Amino acid sequence: MTPERSMRITGTTRCYPILGHPIAQVRTVPAINAYFAAQEIDAVMVPMEIPPGGIEALLALMRSWSNCGGASVTVPHKQAAFRACDRLTDRARLVGAVNIIRREPDGSLVGDMTDGLAFVEAMGRNGIAVSGRTLLVAGAAGGAGSAIAQALCGAGAARLCLVDPSRERLGLLAGRLAADFPGCRIDEGWPDDARVDVAVNASPVGMRRDDPLPIDLDRLSPGAAVCDVITKPVMTPLLVEAARRGHPIQDGNEMADVQLPFQMRHLGLWADEALAPEGDPT
Ligand code: NAD
């Protein structure tokens, strides 16, 4: 980066906190600040470690924080941030969580959830097809899983099999997806009559060394793709075993690395467009 393009914080700089607990592990801060510098956007992203009990007060403060343009939101605040928003995209409403908030000039907060978009974008970059195929999402009732399930339906999946021990939340999600995407067959659980073409782990199972595999690899089609959203470790036991068996794989960093354009678009800071936020949230 040239000196002219390095980040310079002055009194005119707009602030974008990233809210999490813990926060030290986040990978997006350098990438977003490098994007601001490269695009000559007078803005800075700063990590803010906010314990769960403090998030409502911080989000309330954002309404009167005039040089704040919005916030990125990570674990465990995505649901509390959803509740604090004044307006939401349909994506965020289905999932019940937000990972990016735009602050409007009047102080109102507009939330979006980009996990599903980023996941499908990473699949495209890896050449993993969605259209017309049977896909399975483990952890589908969670924040990332619901967003991914919705995005896979939107990308033309023929059949989506949803797996999660939380049966009640899973049933609600299945009902909403079936209503929104009548062209996609929605099943709860593994299919008895078909092989799975793409299996996705969107649960946290695999973060701990002694976790079981969240997906039964014996039930996949030969050559089925296996994807994980976990970023620590990047090579989860599921991906290690899938790769050993010769399955194409996609790791959590590949999804995390493509979140930036979607989040910048929601903030109205994506350089490749007319700086207009996508959609018309209500
Ligand atoms: P969450 O708690 O909202 O959801 C997790 C879901 O997994 C829950 O519904 C839970 O019931 C389910 N689950 C638990 N055990 C299961 C099992 N054995 N089989 C199937 N489902 C099971 O969590 P979240 O916010 O959705 O995060 C999940 C994971 O996704 C975390 O590891 C997080 O770090 C990761 N994540 C990655 C990215 C990325 O960009 N790579 C983005 C968001 C989240």
Side-chain angles (χ1 to χ4, degrees), residues 217-232:
L217 295 173
D218 292 336
R219 299 177 75 170
L220 304 185
S221 301
V226 177
C227 309
D228 210 322
V229 301
I230 290 172
T231 51
K232 273 194 179 169

Side-chain angles (χ1 to χ4, degrees), residues 170-197:
L170 194 70
L172 288 172
L173 176 72
R176 288 199 304 256
L177 291 176
D180 286 356
F181 300 97
C184 180
R185 173 173 168 180
I186 307 291
D187 291 329
E188 293 179 46
W190 281 83
D192 292 328
D193 56 343
R195 288 263 173 162
V196 168
D197 300 316

Side-chain angles (χ1 to χ4, degrees), residues 78 115 138-139 141-144 163-166 169 202-205 207 229-231 252 255-256 259:
K78 295 179 187 179
D115 284 346
V163 174
D164 198 294
S166 174
R169 280 188 288 126
S203 83
V205 179
M207 293 180 81
V229 301
I230 290 172
T231 51
M255 168 185 171
Q259 295 263 11

Side-chain angles (χ1 to χ4, degrees), residues 26-242:
V26 296
R27 302 170 68 244
T28 44
V29 175
I32 289 178
N33 283 323
Y35 173 78
F36 289 154
Q39 299 299 327
E40 300 183 16
I41 297 169
D42 187 10
V44 61
M45 177 159 281
V46 286
M48 289 184 79
E49 174 140 0
I50 308 291
I55 191 67
E56 283 80 6
L58 192 281
L59 290 166
L61 172 77
M62 265 177 64
R63 294 171 193 282
S64 50
W65 180 2
S66 304
N67 71 338
C68 172
S72 180
V73 185
T74 186
V75 178
H77 299 317
K78 295 179 187 179
Q79 285 80 12
F82 170 85
R83 291 190 291 274
C85 283
D86 301 295
R87 287 183 290 147
L88 297 155
T89 61
D90 287 342
R91 283 187 291 272
R93 197 173 292 110
L94 180 120
V95 174
V98 302
N99 66 353
I100 188 78
I101 298 173
R102 182 174 71 251
R103 182 190 176 281
E104 301 284 35
D106 67 359
S108 59
L109 306 179
V110 185
D112 194 8
M113 163 50 82
T114 61
D115 284 346
L117 297 173
F119 183 82
V120 169
E121 172 70 17
M123 290 178 84
R125 291 179 184 214
N126 283 320
I128 302 173
V130 177
S131 185
R133 305 184 88 194
T134 296
L135 301 97
L136 178 136
V137 181
S146 313
I148 289 168
Q150 183 196 40
L152 292 174
C153 290
R159 183 172 181 180
L160 192 59
C161 306
L162 308 174
V163 174
D164 198 294
S166 174
R167 300 306 300 263
E168 193 184 335
R169 280 188 288 126
L170 194 70
L172 288 172
L173 176 72
R176 288 199 304 256
L177 291 176
D180 286 356
F181 300 97
C184 180
R185 173 173 168 180
I186 307 291
D187 291 329
E188 293 179 46
W190 281 83
D192 292 328
D193 56 343
R195 288 263 173 162
V196 168
D197 300 316
V198 180
V200 182
N201 176 42
S203 83
V205 179
M207 293 180 81
R208 291 198 320 230
R209 197 183 295 260
D210 57 349
D211 278 344
L213 295 191
I215 286 167
D216 181 355
L217 295 173
D218 292 336
R219 299 177 75 170
L220 304 185
S221 301
V226 177
C227 309
D228 210 322
V229 301
I230 290 172
T231 51
K232 273 194 179 169
V234 178
M235 281 302 286
T236 57
L238 175 70
L239 293 184
V240 170
E241 178 58 15

